[in-house]
Amino acid sequence: MARETCSNPKRIPDELLNCLSEASKVVVLTGAGVSAESGIPTFREAHTGLWARYDPMELASPEAFERDPSTVWAWYQWRRELIARTQPNPGHHALAELQHLVTELVTITQNVDGFHALAGSDDVLELHGNIHRNICSRTARQIEADWLERHDGHQPPPSPHHRQGLARPDVVWFGEALDAATIEKAFSAAESCDVVITAGTSGAVQPAASIPVAAVRAGAVMIDINPEPNELSRFARWHLAGPSATWLPALVEALDRRPA
Ligand code: NAD
């Protein structure tokens, strides 16, 4: 368990605010919970629609795509449409603002929805890729959007790069390696930060979950924002118990109100 649980966003401990304002580098790691209030279900809590009929773990793998590319493609098209109908929430916007209130902020996300960049966060490290992009299933080369527009959206279009290849979303599936440069930047930021904020993540997916742990082991203090205690809570100095779309704006407001 965290050393201190806070449940009132209007009463943020001074010590926590001091840590943030004095930090030379702050790292934030976000997960699906940060987009939950935009209307995008998390993986482990969804009980409706396609999420109930299909197990994401069964669909988000190279084996599933090999076995049944049309079903996997349809599931991603459905998720893309869902994301297109929704938008970043106050939690995403608060993180974009936080960049201007701390000395340096490195935003790392496990989400593939692109909402941090859309809300204005710069240079986001997207550990698991981005659902809006596509790559060739054989060569992993990027496929331009206009190539896809020329094909029926219900089937995975053929790849322009390989005769046996198909277009697939540019996301990291179970069993696949993360982009080496991205993960290296994430760990290097974690190991050199003073404060690490985890928001909306269960801490169940590796290697992402090891990033805040590496930060804490290197001496950073951790703030965990989540309605529920989770796998990372025991590393946290503070657990801010509640939704990130409430706590992140509250943190930003409290920091902004402080005398310079
Ligand atoms: P997860 O589904 O394992 O856990 C979600 C966490 O968010 C839980 O701990 C839950 O208590 C918390 N949560 C729920 N509502 C919240 C809220 N309003 N505010 C703050 N926290 C809230 O998510 P994960 O840890 O990110 O791991 C799942 C994997 O699934 C990731 O790798 C991610 O790539 C992928 N995913 C991405 C999206 C997206 O891009 N929006 C959506 C679903 C899953």
Side-chain angles (χ1 to χ4, degrees), residues 146-188:
D146 64 347
W147 167 262
L148 297 169
E149 279 156 20
R150 282 185 259 141
H151 292 86
D152 166 16
H154 297 291
Q155 298 288 331
S159 164
H161 304 306
H162 192 286
R163 228 179 276 158
Q164 273 103 43
L166 293 171
R168 55 157 278 188
D170 187 5
V171 298
V172 178
W173 281 335
F174 291 101
E176 291 183 326
L178 278 66
D179 177 67
T182 307
I183 193 77
E184 197 185 314
K185 279 187 204 160
F187 273 100
S188 149

Side-chain angles (χ1 to χ4, degrees), residues 31-37 40-45 51 79 110-113 128 200-205 225-228 230 242-245:
V34 164
S35 293
E37 284 154 288
I40 303 171
T42 65
F43 273 179
R44 285 170 188 77
E45 299 172 303
W51 305 79
R79 289 182 63 196
Q110 298 165 85
N111 294 346
V112 295
D113 52 36
H128 296 160
T201 180
S202 60
V205 176
I225 304 176
N226 198 314
E228 308 291 336
N230 57 79
S244 49

Side-chain angles (χ1 to χ4, degrees), residues 57-214:
M57 316 288 169
E58 292 287 317
L59 284 171
S61 72
E63 294 77 20
F65 191 69
E66 190 72 32
R67 201 167 48 233
D68 186 355
S70 299
T71 299
V72 173
W73 182 258
W75 188 63
Y76 276 94
Q77 290 294 80
W78 175 79
R79 289 182 63 196
R80 285 168 170 159
E81 283 159 21
L82 177 73
I83 292 166
R85 285 198 304 272
T86 56
Q87 51 191 350
N89 65 52
H92 299 102
H93 290 295
L95 283 178
E97 269 180 64
L98 190 60
Q99 296 176 131
H100 308 296
L101 296 171
V102 297
T103 308
E104 184 185 350
L105 179 73
V106 179
T107 305
I108 306 170
T109 188
Q110 298 165 85
N111 294 346
V112 295
D113 52 36
F115 276 177
H116 289 301
L118 200 56
S121 286
D122 299 320
D123 303 324
V124 180
L125 297 175
E126 294 179 313
L127 295 177
H128 296 160
N130 188 305
I131 199 168
H132 303 296
R133 295 190 303 255
N134 288 282
I135 53 172
C136 166
S137 63
R138 291 296 173 107
T139 64
R141 281 175 64 190
Q142 293 285 334
I143 298 178
E144 299 303 324
D146 64 347
W147 167 262
L148 297 169
E149 279 156 20
R150 282 185 259 141
H151 292 86
D152 166 16
H154 297 291
Q155 298 288 331
S159 164
H161 304 306
H162 192 286
R163 228 179 276 158
Q164 273 103 43
L166 293 171
R168 55 157 278 188
D170 187 5
V171 298
V172 178
W173 281 335
F174 291 101
E176 291 183 326
L178 278 66
D179 177 67
T182 307
I183 193 77
E184 197 185 314
K185 279 187 204 160
F187 273 100
S188 149
E191 282 157 3
S192 57
C193 74
D194 309 292
V195 180
V196 60
I197 303 173
T198 49
T201 180
S202 60
V205 176
Q206 293 293 353
S210 297
I211 293 169
V213 178

Side-chain angles (χ1 to χ4, degrees), residues 6-7 11 21 24 39 44 49 53 125 151 155 162 189 250:
C6 308
S7 46
R11 294 171 67 93
S21 57
S24 57
R44 285 170 188 77
R53 277 190 282 144
L125 297 175
H151 292 86
Q155 298 288 331
H162 192 286

